[in-house]
Amino acid sequence: MANVFDLCFSRLSISCQATYFILFISLAQPQNIVDFKPSYLTATGPTVTALLLGNVSDISLNLRTVSPSNTTGSIGPPSCVAEVTQWVLTREQVGKTAVRVQLNLDKSLRLCGENESDTNCCPKPLCVLETLQVSVCVGGTPQASLLIQARIFALLLPANAGSENKTVIPNQVYQPLGSCPCDLTFGACDVRCCCDTDCSSEDLKLFVSHCLPGPFGGQVSPASDYQCSVQSLKNSPDWFPFLCVNSPPENNPYLGLFYQGYTITPEPGPSFQSPVSPAPVPVNVYIQGSPILTLNDQYFTIPQKLLGQCVNNAPVAFLKNFQVNCVTLLRSCPTGSPLRTLPTDLRIKVKNGPGGDVLVDVIDEVAFDLSQFISSTNAPSDEGLVCENVTLALDYKLYWEGNDITSITVTQTVGTITFNSSVALTTRYSAVFLNGELMGETNSGNPGYQVGRPVIAGIVDTLDNNTGLVQRVSISLWKPVSDGLCVSAEMKPILFGENSTSGCLLPVSRHNLTQCDLLRETVTSLQNNLMTATHVAKSGNPDPFTTTDWVNISFLTQNSSTTMEDSTNSCYGVPSHQHIHVWSLITGMVGGVPQRDICALQVSYSMSPWTLDCGGGDVSPCVDPTETQLFPITSSVSFTDILVNTGPPKTRFQINFTEYDCNRNDVCWPELAFPITKYYTGEPYSQSLAKGLILVFFFITASILGTPWRQIRQAWK
């Protein structure tokens, strides 16, 4: 450039001045500078990626295969002439000044098999060994280049393509899994595992001389000690010829130490979505527990409780009675089911079982006393919210005969609710199955009582032509709700084998304590509501017409020997506690399950004094005759098992000495000869006797020919 300037200034020619002006303009223009990051790569896989940075507009990419010079060892300059290679060149614009350049190998890396004519495979384990050059050109002039050294080996793929089906592990009894423990990767060849069936013959050639030894590599070395071919004549024990085993070397104790044969089934993971109910399955005949279906093959539903929560659309099961109470906090008038149900919504057709249908008959009732439905509410005002025709109760009666439903009636109780801001509404839903006019009662066992089932009680019906029919009634305990008062308390049945105590509260004022006789009668009446029965069933499935299946209930008379004078603020002898004591007895076994029967039931009362408490600074109950205090009324039940002694008591020697007790000792010497007795039924008696005699003969022969007898003969000589 300096020579050009000197020549032009010396000659001062017009042509040189023009040349100087053109060079000055070209130097003033910005240069197209681009560069690869990185500029050199080593590829071991079928994909290569690099970034091209700079002014990437109007550029072209060219790919060719290059090789170093034999004399200098250097790579030639980049070229803008593209060649055909086994790689596919792609580009992706990732910014104004950046391009992602990616090369993908257009060839399979599968190792070619023997005598295979397909060219799309690798004839050698080293599949690709070449040098690639990617050139960036602008207007046919190279601007930058990228060198890639590709050294890629063939993939060791299984002979058979893998399947996405569930993995079936063979039964270990017939096909042992431990024959090749080093096969750790499913569908691929494990290096040095010569017993891996996924390895082809070409794969095995790579490590056939370096196979994993021992049982882990599928080889039994050394052979097991119990093999007859292992022991030599000099080192073999005297018992060896009789107890050694002739078996193939593949059957060794290492087999079966890895997995138990079964089929792996994928299990769904946890989900926070609500479960989807299965579609109803049409039934031809109803049996106990079958869901009742409507005419359009949908579940016949009534609100019920599930896991302590009320479910509005719960299917009704055939011959399953229930009664539930659902509490709903209302802040506005309900508009939908089940709190706002029209009679037309209840008149649906239900399948009766044999192929016909029955229409639900609706009976409407209006409730004016809402005390049993409204447990808490704000004081109503003139501006309160008024909700009319609110469904308070749905009581279904389903009449059945055999396996058929003959008719269904529902009593819908509605009422008008007025509240200010909110109200806690308690609605009742029930379903009772009646056979004619008799309710289908469920038993509590067959024949003995089952733990957790209700105790069955009854009263003798003396008005039914003296037939001695026992009508079932319940024996209950207190079940307080909401405020815990006895006036709103419910009752729960006594469950067999479960001790329980419960109670409720009775408000008593100073005026009530001035009438102690009336107070005692009131408490006695409340306690008698829990026990209306006179008989209790012995077993869990009593016959109402058989008096021997029932036991009289004994009531202990109240002890009034120690009487005390009642005062103004106190009453004595109040039966505030009722206790029920049940005695049960094991009468037999059915299928290994003990059967328990009730042999006696006793009801007793505990008296206590009730006195107003005027301490603690609160003297209003003792001054105001209408001010009340809460006094508890309780009930409890306890169960006692009567132990039956079937034999004389054991001596101290029988209790402590357990050497010959087969029930308390792992070794049972009295049953040493059990296989040759008549009580052994595993095989015919003649065969077991013959095998036993042969075994005795072997023991005698072994003792005669063995080392101890040989030493005795040498000492004798």
Side-chain angles (χ1 to χ4, degrees):
M1 184 71 67
N3 297 333
V4 175
F5 288 159
D6 294 339
L7 181 62
C8 288
F9 278 112
S10 61
R11 296 183 180 182
L12 295 177
S13 63
I14 297 176
S15 61
C16 288
Q17 293 179 2
T19 303
Y20 170 77
F21 180 76
I22 293 173
L23 289 174
F24 179 80
I25 294 299
S26 63
L27 291 174
Q29 292 180 354
Q31 299 297 316
N32 295 329
I33 300 175
V34 291
D35 190 15
F36 277 103
K37 297 295 182 182
S39 60
Y40 177 78
L41 288 175
T42 300
T44 59
T47 303
V48 183
T49 304
L51 287 177
L52 179 62
L53 304 178
N55 187 7
V56 294
S57 60
D58 300 331
I59 64 171
S60 61
L61 300 177
N62 300 279
L63 176 65
R64 66 171 183 161
T65 304
V66 296
S67 58
S69 174
N70 296 330
T71 58
T72 62
S74 61
I75 303 295
S79 173
C80 293
V81 179
E83 297 180 0
V84 178
T85 64
Q86 56 184 354
W87 296 80
V88 177
L89 178 64
T90 58
R91 55 186 288 182
E92 179 185 0
Q93 190 82 24
V94 294
K96 294 182 179 180
T97 60
V99 172
R100 180 185 290 110
V101 180
Q102 186 173 12
L103 277 74
N104 295 291
L105 181 63
D106 190 16
K107 180 180 181 180
S108 175
L109 294 178
R110 178 181 58 86
L111 193 63
C112 298
E114 296 181 359
N115 300 326
E116 185 175 355
S117 59
D118 189 7
T119 58
N120 190 19
C121 60
C122 300
K124 298 179 180 180
L126 184 56
C127 186
V128 178
L129 181 61
E130 59 184 353
T131 303
L132 303 173
Q133 186 182 60
V134 180
S135 302
V136 181
C137 299
V138 177
T141 303
Q143 301 294 327
S145 65
L146 169 66
L147 287 179
I148 302 174
Q149 178 65 43
R151 183 181 178 88
I152 306 174
F153 288 87
L155 297 179
L156 300 180
L157 300 177
N160 299 324
S163 175
E164 295 183 357
N165 297 333
K166 59 184 179 181
T167 303
V168 179
I169 298 180
N171 192 339
Q172 182 178 331
V173 177
Y174 307 103
Q175 187 175 354
L177 274 176
S179 57
C180 189
C182 59
D183 186 5
L184 303 177
T185 307
F186 174 75
C189 178
D190 292 278
V191 180
R192 297 186 61 191
C193 186
C194 297
C195 60
D196 192 348
T197 56
D198 297 322
C199 298
S200 61
S201 57
E202 290 78 9
D203 301 337
L204 294 177
K205 293 179 181 179
L206 301 176
F207 49 80
V208 67
S209 59
H210 302 282
C211 296
L212 293 172
F216 185 74
Q219 303 174 7
V220 184
S221 176
S224 302
D225 295 337
Y226 56 78
Q227 292 282 357
C228 295
S229 59
V230 172
Q231 296 289 346
S232 61
L233 296 178
K234 295 182 180 180
N235 299 327
S236 60
D238 50 1
W239 51 264
F240 184 76
F242 300 100
L243 299 179
C244 66
V245 177
N246 288 310
S247 63
E250 292 80 8
N251 185 15
N252 61 85
Y254 297 100
L255 299 180
L257 296 180
F258 299 92
Y259 301 99
Q260 178 68 30
Y262 64 98
T263 301
I264 299 177
T265 304
E267 297 181 358
S271 175
F272 293 98
Q273 299 179 356
S274 59
V276 180
S277 301
V281 179
V283 294
N284 298 326
V285 61
Y286 287 127
I287 60 175
Q288 184 177 9
S290 300
I292 299 177
L293 303 179
T294 60
L295 192 60
N296 55 354
D297 288 332
Q298 298 296 322
Y299 288 126
F300 176 59
T301 60
I302 301 175
Q304 301 177 46
K305 276 191 175 181
L306 179 63
L307 299 178
Q309 301 293 330
C310 286
V311 180
N312 293 334
N313 298 321
V316 180
F318 186 65
L319 297 182
K320 294 290 186 179
N321 303 334
F322 66 87
Q323 179 178 346
V324 298
N325 293 331
C326 297
V327 181
T328 306
L329 182 62
L330 294 181
R331 301 185 184 275
S332 61
C333 293
T335 57
S337 176
L339 297 181
R340 193 61 180 263
T341 307
L342 299 177
T344 55
D345 298 334
L346 299 176
R347 293 189 181 96
I348 59 177
K349 291 185 178 182
V350 178
K351 289 186 176 182
N352 62 352
D357 59 84
V358 293
L359 181 65
V360 178
D361 186 15
V362 181
I363 302 175
D364 295 327
E365 288 186 359
V366 179
F368 299 97
D369 184 11
L370 304 180
S371 59
Q372 58 177 334
F373 301 106
I374 299 178
S375 55
S376 64
T377 182
N378 296 334
S381 61
D382 296 338
E383 299 179 356
L385 190 63
V386 179
C387 301
E388 297 180 351
N389 297 327
V390 178
T391 302
L392 303 177
L394 291 176
D395 299 315
Y396 284 84
K397 291 183 179 180
L398 298 94
Y399 298 88
W400 64 279
E401 183 178 356
N403 298 98
D404 307 338
I405 298 177
T406 57
S407 63
I408 301 176
T409 61
V410 57
T411 302
Q412 182 185 19
T413 304
V414 298
T416 301
I417 300 176
T418 304
F419 59 95
N420 188 11
S421 59
S422 63
V423 61
L425 179 64
T426 302
T427 53
R428 183 184 69 246
Y429 306 99
S430 65
V432 176
F433 288 83
L434 301 174
N435 189 354
E437 292 297 332
L438 298 178
M439 183 184 301
E441 298 285 353
T442 58
N443 294 328
S444 296
N446 186 21
Y449 275 99
Q450 296 180 6
V451 177
R453 302 299 296 271
V455 174
I456 301 175
I459 56 175
V460 178
D461 188 6
T462 58
L463 301 178
D464 192 9
N465 298 326
N466 295 325
T467 57
L469 174 66
V470 179
Q471 293 185 355
R472 292 192 181 186
V473 295
S474 61
I475 304 177
S476 306
L477 299 177
W478 291 112
K479 182 183 179 182
V481 295
S482 63
D483 51 10
L485 298 179
C486 295
V487 67
S488 61
E490 300 178 357
M491 300 180 186
K492 60 179 180 180
I494 292 177
L495 304 181
F496 182 81
E498 296 182 1
N499 300 333
S500 179
T501 301
S502 62
C504 61
L505 299 175
L506 181 66
V508 178
S509 64
R510 182 167 175 260
H511 176 70
N512 298 133
L513 292 178
T514 60
Q515 302 174 350
C516 294
D517 293 337
L518 181 60
L519 179 61
R520 282 188 284 265
E521 291 179 2
T522 302
V523 176
T524 302
S525 176
L526 292 174
Q527 298 284 34
N528 290 338
N529 292 334
L530 301 176
M531 175 64 68
T532 59
T534 58
H535 293 73
V536 63
K538 292 182 179 180
S539 60
N541 57 347
D543 185 2
F545 295 97
T546 305
T547 56
T548 56
D549 288 350
W550 303 83
V551 179
N552 290 328
I553 299 176
S554 60
F555 294 86
L556 291 183
T557 58
Q558 303 174 6
N559 188 6
S560 60
S561 59
T562 59
T563 60
M564 299 182 65
E565 294 292 337
D566 299 329
S567 62
T568 305
N569 296 331
S570 62
C571 290
Y572 295 90
V574 179
S576 60
H577 179 70
Q578 181 190 72
H579 180 67
I580 302 172
H581 197 177
V582 183
W583 286 270
S584 61
L585 179 69
I586 297 178
T587 57
M589 304 286 288
V590 175
V593 179
Q595 302 297 313
R596 291 180 171 87
D597 289 355
I598 294 178
C599 57
L601 189 146
Q602 184 184 78
V603 181
S604 60
Y605 297 89
S606 298
M607 307 299 174
S608 62
W610 282 8
T611 305
L612 291 177
D613 184 10
C614 301
D618 186 11
V619 295
S620 58
C622 299
V623 177
D624 188 358
T626 60
E627 188 73 21
T628 61
Q629 281 188 357
L630 298 178
F631 288 86
I633 298 178
T634 57
S635 59
S636 62
V637 61
S638 61
F639 291 84
T640 302
D641 292 334
I642 300 177
L643 301 178
V644 179
N645 191 4
T646 58
K650 292 184 178 181
T651 62
R652 182 181 301 174
F653 175 79
Q654 292 175 334
I655 296 175
N656 298 329
F657 190 71
T658 61
E659 182 177 357
Y660 296 102
D661 191 350
C662 296
N663 295 326
R664 295 184 293 173
N665 195 4
D666 294 336
V667 179
C668 185
W669 292 106
E671 296 183 359
L672 180 62
F674 177 74
I676 60 176
T677 61
K678 62 180 180 179
Y679 302 103
Y680 177 67
T681 58
E683 56 186 352
Y685 179 73
S686 58
Q687 295 184 10
S688 61
L689 181 61
K691 293 179 180 178
L693 295 177
I694 293 174
L695 184 61
V696 171
F697 172 75
F698 282 159
F699 273 108
I700 295 175
T701 305
S703 61
I704 293 176
L705 299 179
T707 302
W709 184 257
R710 187 165 56 248
Q711 293 177 354
I712 294 174
R713 289 187 298 173
Q714 292 177 358
W716 182 263
K717 293 180 179 180

